[in-house]
Amino acid sequence: MKKILVTGGAGFVGSHLCERLLNEGNQVICLDNYFTGDKRNIIHLMDNHFFEVVRHDVIMPYFVEVDQIYNLACPASPIHYQYNPIKTTKTSVMGAINMLGLAKRIKARVLQASTSEVYGDPEVHPQKEDYWGHVNPIGIRSCYDEGKRCAETLFMDYHNQNKVDIKIVRIFNTYGPKMHPSDGRVVSNFIIQALQNQDITVYGDGLQTRSFQYVDDLVEAMIRMMNTENFIGPVNVGNPNEFTILELAQKVIKLTNSNSKIIYLPMPQDDPTQRRPDISLAKEKLNNWKPEIELNEGLVKTISYFDNLLKEIGPIS
Ligand code: NAD
Ligand code: UDP
């Protein structure tokens, strides 16, 4: 039985990860400040004696004895990370310093939830790990993109200078049950709009692309990465099947039998025009890992989750 700290454990990905780690017989400490996380995501785990929840902000040091740390604490949707951009950068950078300092003291292994945003609006397609990216350092997405880039730098420097046992995973767009219903990310937005027969808000012409990964595939890859020897990353983790945002809107309308109409709104500043991971390194290093759940199947599961949520909490505007 391992003792594992998950920062951001009450969020979308973190709550799935905590559940899976507990199911595998580990002790889990879930640390969160509840900025975008929700106790409802983890309430079903509270009866488990091996699950502890701590309200804490990663910009402050935290002391605990654990074997492994998954560092996920950071708002991930553009609406939430742009709400208080200074805090977003602090969370990425000071959170990384605090978790790396902790890992150094207690000799724990620490995994950073990095992002495809380190590639910015990429000029190379698909993106491989050796691409350095095309990131605006002073735009509205910079607090997140540059915060995560600096966190990667810190991880590598703690590894090289202090021999801290690190792992870096670059996560591409991930969706699934327990996404925050108001975080404005495209999959949850379109599903909630379609289920309520509201207009589907496509930004720009909808021809920008993303590659959508179901959350269970991500959790599997993160756990494999954490438990791999002699490989620190960075490694891309995502589903390489690429869709335009317009295609996604059409799929969601079809799968929900919705009467929604597509409307076009202005494209946000610095919105990447294309994104698709090259996952050959993940396949090679993570025991032949590859995504198992394709978009239609994942959308059906996610639609069912939001359908139940809307019945429980009422309409969302
Ligand atoms: P999320 O917003 O649902 O979860 C983030 C969690 O971190 C929330 O529970 C939030 O309350 C917590 N948090 C935020 N700031 C904190 C702070 N200062 N101290 C303590 N807790 C704090 O987002 P998510 O989609 O679950 O993302 C989890 C991680 O994965 C993030 O680091 C994100 O950058 C990364 N990631 C996610 C995606 C994706 O598509 N979901 C893609 C790339 C990277
Ligand atoms: N998007 C959209 N309508 C929405 C929400 C998002 O067209 O209601 C677009 C957004 O402009 C971007 C893509 O969908 O091109 C993915 O957006 P999201 O916020 O989910 O993730 P990110 O831009 O961080 O990849």
Side-chain angles (χ1 to χ4, degrees):
M1 179 182 266
K2 288 201 177 73
K3 219 171 160 190
I4 302 175
L5 173 66
V6 179
T7 77
F12 159 50
V13 176
S15 58
H16 286 273
L17 180 63
C18 288
E19 182 169 342
R20 173 80 191 271
L21 292 170
L22 283 169
N23 287 342
E24 291 184 354
N26 299 292
Q27 288 186 48
V28 175
I29 300 171
C30 162
L31 180 155
D32 211 292
N33 72 350
Y34 301 109
F35 173 43
T36 52
D38 193 325
K39 280 190 185 152
R40 274 176 296 201
N41 289 341
I42 47 170
I43 198 125
H44 62 296
L45 307 175
M46 300 285 194
D47 287 342
N48 189 321
H49 295 302
F50 296 113
F51 186 58
E52 285 172 57
V53 181
V54 181
R55 181 187 285 266
H56 185 81
D57 194 305
V58 288
I59 72 166
M60 306 299 288
Y62 177 68
F63 302 102
V64 70
E65 293 285 325
V66 290
D67 305 302
Q68 297 182 340
I69 304 167
Y70 288 86
N71 187 35
L72 276 67
C74 186
S77 85
I79 289 181
H80 283 147
Y81 70 63
Q82 287 163 20
Y83 171 75
N84 184 345
I86 296 170
K87 178 69 194 258
T88 299
T89 304
K90 277 185 170 176
T91 294
S92 273
V93 175
M94 294 167 76
I97 291 172
N98 286 325
M99 289 306 126
L100 286 160
L102 175 64
K104 181 183 161 197
R105 270 192 302 277
I106 62 173
K107 299 198 180 339
R109 179 171 285 182
V110 57
L111 180 147
Q112 169 67 356
S114 190
T115 170
S116 53
E117 300 287 346
V118 300
Y119 302 123
D121 190 359
E123 296 149 312
V124 168
H125 196 69
Q127 293 79 53
K128 275 175 97 78
E129 289 83 354
D130 59 5
Y131 176 49
W132 290 354
H134 177 225
V135 177
N136 178 356
I138 53 168
I140 56 171
R141 296 174 81 99
S142 312
C143 58
Y144 183 74
D145 301 9
E146 297 289 20
K148 289 282 187 179
R149 285 168 67 94
C150 184
E152 284 200 10
T153 308
L154 285 161
F155 267 69
M156 290 311 287
D157 287 341
Y158 269 76
H159 175 71
N160 291 329
Q161 197 176 324
N162 297 129
K163 307 279 175 281
V164 174
D165 188 2
I166 65 149
K167 305 276 179 186
I168 300 173
V169 171
R170 291 184 179 153
I171 304 169
F172 283 66
N173 294 67
T174 304
Y175 69 98
K178 297 188 193 166
M179 293 182 85
H180 194 297
S182 326
D183 79 6
R185 281 186 271 190
V186 69
V187 174
S188 44
N189 251 19
F190 284 2
I191 291 177
I192 290 168
Q193 289 163 345
L195 286 172
Q196 301 182 112
N197 292 312
Q198 296 167 348
D199 291 341
I200 305 273
T201 54
V202 168
Y203 302 156
D205 56 12
L207 297 182
Q208 70 271 37
T209 66
R210 294 293 187 274
S211 308
F212 299 102
Q213 162 175 245
Y214 190 68
V215 63
D216 290 358
D217 287 325
L218 168 60
V219 168
E220 176 66 33
M222 288 176 91
I223 292 175
R224 285 194 198 193
M225 180 64 174
M226 180 61 105
N227 296 297
T228 298
E229 301 304 323
N230 306 317
F231 175 58
I232 62 173
V235 62
N236 289 339
V237 172
N239 188 321
N241 286 335
E242 185 179 0
F243 297 88
T244 66
I245 295 306
L246 204 49
E247 285 171 326
L248 176 73
Q250 285 154 352
K251 267 185 191 298
V252 170
I253 290 174
K254 197 167 161 206
L255 291 171
T256 49
N257 280 324
S258 174
N259 297 323
S260 293
K261 301 272 171 300
I262 292 173
I263 59 163
Y264 294 88
L265 298 179
M267 186 77 137
Q269 187 198 328
D270 294 339
D271 199 295
T273 47
Q274 55 180 2
R275 186 181 289 153
R276 172 154 64 98
D278 180 319
I279 58 165
S280 39
L281 188 63
K283 279 186 184 156
E284 181 197 328
K285 299 286 187 183
L286 304 182
N287 198 16
N288 250 337
W289 172 86
K290 59 176 176 37
E292 300 293 341
I293 299 175
E294 290 308 339
L295 188 56
N296 269 24
E297 188 187 348
L299 284 177
V300 168
K301 290 172 193 269
T302 312
I303 288 166
S304 159
Y305 167 80
F306 279 113
D307 198 20
N308 289 330
L309 187 75
L310 286 171
K311 285 178 188 136
E312 193 186 313
I313 67 172
I316 298 171
S317 55

